[in-house]
Amino acid sequence: MTLKSGLVLAAILTLPTSVLADDPMKVGFVYVGPIGDHGWSYQHDQGRLALEDHFGEKVATTYVENVSEGADAERTIRRLAQAGNDIIFTTSFGFMNPTLRVAKEYPDITFLHATGYKRDENLGTYLSVTYEGRYATGVAAGLVTETDTLGYIASFPIPEVIRDINAVYLGAKEVNPDIELKVIWVNTWFDPAKEADAANALMDQGADVIVQHTDSPAPLIAADKRGAWGVGQASDMRGFGGDAHLLSVVNNWGPYYIDTVQSVMDGTWEPADYWGGMSEGTVEVVGLSERLSAEQQEKVNSVIDALTNDEFHPFTGPLKDQSGELRVPAGVSMTNEELAGMDWYVEGMTATLSK
């Protein structure tokens, strides 16, 4: 060994371990709302934090919150790609086409889009099977309502939301044949004032249980003020609802994010459509109110157990739509592909489906 090469080797050996180690895998996240919404975006960010906790210095994450769906989303996703992120998770339905366009420009980056259906060689999709938790919600709501009227605050008329509305109605109908589910479309994911107004409007129409597909705890707080019931969305909202809190349907993204990043690290990742439900722990029903009777709690928990153990599929026929047309034959369960395109209300729903 020459003196020069020996000095170089000695210099390398004295470098900090962090310099010698491989660069961390850079992972970016795009959120439609603020991480303080205590709902959808908050829970995705909890998944990001779980990812950091699991991998430590092996990953470096970043996120952009409050990203509008459309041109703003495309600019944001492209900036994350240009910044050298190895994986980019985009977490709202309206990010689907922007994610696809940017993915085509950066074939060496892995993209994952939540709740969408368009995939490519470097683009996969993922969602939580929230309709399972919504079915359990419907059962609980059908048991506690005194007016036989439930209210649903709906964000946008996309299949994910329509599935969940139907699931709540089917669950409630199982235990209460006189149930009616009223729906107000607010065309936003996060707007506390608008969400509270919708909750109050539904209660004015007789609803004494408020379910939401929006992300702030405002509807739950409004329900508590008026002595009604409310349901937590995406995260555990029992801390906001007081006596109103019936239960929360929680999205647990950490395991999925950890498994996905690990597969990219291992070189085994392939584009796929991931549906994670209660059996995978991606969806959880938590905080069932102790105000329910022992018999009511037993009924709800039995439904939760059946869903968790894959003993029951909420969308199993016979199922008809509002017009009476048979959509799902007896004994047949809808496939993920069919559920991904759901654009109809089930028979018995009196609400008008927004287009």
Side-chain angles (χ1 to χ4, degrees):
M1 178 184 297
T2 66
L3 177 61
K4 181 178 180 180
S5 61
L7 291 173
V8 170
L9 178 59
I12 292 174
L13 291 175
T14 59
L15 286 173
T17 304
S18 60
V19 176
L20 293 173
D22 292 336
D23 290 337
M25 178 164 284
K26 297 179 68 175
V27 186
F29 293 81
V30 184
Y31 303 143
V32 70
I35 61 171
D37 66 3
H38 297 288
W40 177 260
S41 294
Y42 169 83
Q43 207 63 20
H44 278 285
D45 201 58
Q46 291 299 298
R48 179 186 68 84
L49 294 174
L51 181 71
E52 288 187 338
D53 185 63
H54 178 82
F55 285 106
E57 294 183 354
K58 292 182 180 180
V59 300
T61 73
T62 188
Y63 66 88
V64 185
E65 59 186 333
N66 280 320
V67 178
S68 301
E69 297 173 330
D72 189 31
E74 185 167 339
R75 286 191 293 269
T76 300
I77 298 165
R78 185 172 287 108
R79 283 198 297 269
L80 287 173
Q82 293 169 345
N85 282 283
D86 303 291
I87 307 172
I88 298 174
F89 293 96
T90 63
T91 63
S92 189
F93 184 83
F95 296 162
M96 178 170 62
N97 289 328
T99 303
L100 179 63
R101 285 192 287 269
V102 178
K104 288 183 179 296
E105 297 175 19
Y106 294 88
D108 294 331
I109 297 175
T110 301
F111 293 82
L112 286 304
H113 173 243
T115 75
Y117 55 84
K118 293 184 179 180
R119 289 173 292 283
D120 209 335
E121 292 182 358
N122 63 327
L123 170 60
T125 50
Y126 65 105
L127 55 76
S128 57
V129 185
T130 49
Y131 66 78
E132 293 179 339
R134 298 294 192 188
Y135 187 91
T137 295
V139 171
L143 290 171
V144 302
T145 179
E146 296 179 359
T147 64
D148 297 330
T149 304
L150 314 180
Y152 199 108
I153 304 170
S155 47
F156 296 95
I158 60 176
E160 174 193 359
V161 179
I162 297 169
R163 285 194 303 269
D164 282 11
I165 293 171
N166 284 331
V168 168
Y169 180 77
L170 290 171
K173 194 79 170 177
E174 178 189 332
V175 296
N176 187 338
D178 299 321
I179 209 73
E180 181 179 10
L181 178 59
K182 296 181 179 291
V183 180
I184 291 182
W185 296 91
V186 293
N187 296 308
T188 183
W189 293 112
F190 179 77
D191 186 330
K194 202 170 186 180
E195 295 170 62
D197 287 346
N200 282 307
L202 288 165
M203 287 185 282
D204 289 343
Q205 297 173 46
D208 61 354
V209 184
I210 302 299
V211 187
Q212 62 186 91
H213 211 119
T214 52
D215 295 334
S216 87
L220 190 55
I221 295 169
D224 189 39
K225 288 180 179 178
R226 293 182 57 172
W229 293 93
V231 176
Q233 149 77 359
S235 71
D236 185 350
M237 291 187 176
R238 76 184 93 179
F240 296 95
D243 287 341
H245 184 265
L246 178 60
L247 56 81
S248 285
V249 179
V250 174
N251 298 320
N252 180 20
W253 296 110
Y256 170 77
Y257 285 147
I258 290 167
D259 289 347
T260 301
V261 170
Q262 186 65 62
S263 68
V264 175
M265 288 178 172
D266 295 340
T268 59
W269 181 86
E270 294 182 356
D273 187 26
Y274 173 83
W275 289 56
M278 293 175 68
S279 63
E280 294 83 8
T282 309
V283 176
E284 300 173 328
V285 176
V286 303
L288 182 63
S289 174
E290 294 182 357
R291 292 172 59 200
L292 276 67
S293 69
E295 183 180 358
Q296 290 172 330
Q297 291 186 41
E298 182 179 1
K299 175 59 180 177
V300 177
N301 285 322
S302 70
V303 171
I304 293 172
D305 289 343
L307 291 164
T308 302
N309 296 323
D310 288 329
E311 297 170 356
F312 171 68
H313 193 300
F315 291 105
T316 298
L319 285 177
K320 296 180 180 179
D321 63 20
Q322 278 182 310
S323 70
E325 177 185 349
L326 183 66
R327 292 291 192 128
V328 186
V332 175
S333 297
M334 294 183 71
T335 65
N336 288 347
E337 290 74 17
E338 291 168 335
L339 289 166
M342 180 171 272
D343 59 358
W344 48 274
Y345 280 152
V346 294
E347 185 179 38
M349 282 284 297
T350 57
T352 301
L353 182 56
S354 178
K355 299 297 183 183

